[in-house]
Amino acid sequence: QVQLVESGGGLVQAGGSLRVSCAASGRTSSPYATYAMAWFRQAPGKEREFVAGISWSGSFTGYADSVKGRFTISRDRAKNTLYLQMNSLKPEDTALYYCAARYGSNWYGSGDKYDSWGQGTQVTVSS
């Protein structure tokens, strides 16, 4: 299994930017350990929702409509690190942001497809 640790969350004003990271460890170096990754978020009183996903190669990405054009997902396989660059932040982006990993090349928008989860990093956007 892959262990995931998020970092980089914080408090930012609306319109600002923030980058969160997710460091992966464990079964990341095996030649058979191809894994796609994604970001999800959960706001208080709401269900967890998909934010962005990226393939093992990094060539294929996808975004929720609510963040498309504002957020960018990327990964550095040499560093086993996933990133989410968030620009033009809105108060409704406030949530606990989780990274997730699944063995396989392709990302999915459904959380039940993922094998490993981090503990989350809080992002708060003030108006």
Side-chain angles (χ1 to χ4, degrees):
Q1 199 173 21
V2 176
Q3 287 78 49
L4 304 171
V5 178
E6 301 94 337
S7 63
L11 174 64
V12 63
Q13 287 189 331
S17 298
L18 201 62
R19 188 178 80 161
V20 291
S21 303
C22 173
S25 61
R27 285 188 58 190
T28 59
S29 59
S30 164
Y32 304 103
T34 58
Y35 55 99
M37 300 188 77
W39 288 99
F40 290 79
R41 67 186 182 185
Q42 187 168 20
K46 294 188 176 181
E47 292 188 353
R48 183 180 61 196
E49 64 175 355
F50 170 79
V51 175
I54 188 166
S55 63
W56 163 244
S57 68
S59 299
F60 302 99
T61 60
Y63 299 90
D65 287 344
S66 59
V67 306
K68 203 170 292 183
R70 300 188 298 122
F71 290 12
T72 302
I73 188 171
S74 62
R75 66 188 299 172
D76 184 333
R77 282 166 47 184
K79 296 182 178 179
N80 291 323
T81 303
L82 177 72
Y83 303 100
L84 184 68
Q85 177 68 44
M86 302 181 287
N87 299 327
S88 302
L89 282 160
K90 305 175 181 180
E92 50 264 44
D93 294 318
T94 295
L96 190 61
Y97 283 71
Y98 298 92
C99 68
R102 65 176 303 276
Y103 287 109
S105 300
N106 302 320
W107 61 269
Y108 289 86
S110 176
D112 60 5
K113 297 289 189 182
Y114 291 83
D115 310 299
S116 303
W117 293 83
Q119 294 299 308
T121 185
Q122 179 67 39
V123 173
T124 303
V125 184
S126 63
S127 57

